[in-house]
Amino acid sequence: MVTIRLTRRGARNQPFYHFVVTDSRKRQGSASLEQVGFFNPIARKGEPKLKLDLARIDYWASKGAQQSERVRYLVTTFRKQATALAA
C-alpha cells in the first residue's frame, strides 16, 4: 500500500520534516516515490513553516494512497490557509 507520511530530517533539536509518498512496507527514511512538501515546526521570521504540492497529494490520494493522521491534519490546515489567502 502507498502512504503519504512525514519523514524527519534536520539536526538534533532542530526538526525538519519532508512529506513523502512511499510504500508502507519500507522503513522510515528509506527511498521514497516522491517528495510532495515540507514542514518546519520551528520556522523563524520570513521562513515558510509549511509548503505542500496539493495537486500531487490529490493525485496520489486518487490512486489510493493513504495519509497518516498528522499528514491529514497538516494538509487540511494548509488548504484553509490557501483559501484564506486567495479570498
Side-chain angles (χ1 to χ4, degrees):
M1 175 187 348
V2 177
T3 61
I4 303 173
R5 64 183 179 199
L6 294 171
T7 184
R8 187 172 195 258
R9 300 283 188 238
R12 184 177 53 194
N13 297 327
Q14 294 179 341
F16 189 88
Y17 299 93
H18 288 272
F19 285 78
V20 293
V21 179
T22 186
D23 187 352
S24 63
R25 296 170 292 186
K26 298 270 187 179
R27 292 179 54 179
Q28 181 123 4
S30 65
S32 60
L33 299 173
E34 183 178 1
Q35 180 181 334
V36 293
F38 68 85
F39 173 54
N40 185 3
I42 56 169
R44 294 178 180 87
K45 278 188 177 178
E47 294 178 356
K49 186 170 184 160
L50 179 63
K51 182 171 179 177
L52 298 174
D53 187 355
L54 292 176
R56 294 305 293 169
I57 291 174
D58 292 340
Y59 167 79
W60 282 107
S62 72
K63 297 295 182 188
Q66 299 293 314
Q67 298 176 9
S68 69
E69 187 175 326
R70 183 68 173 163
V71 167
R72 193 175 305 117
Y73 170 76
L74 290 170
V75 168
T76 57
T77 302
F78 187 76
R79 284 187 200 276
K80 287 178 186 176
Q81 289 176 356
T83 57
L85 289 176

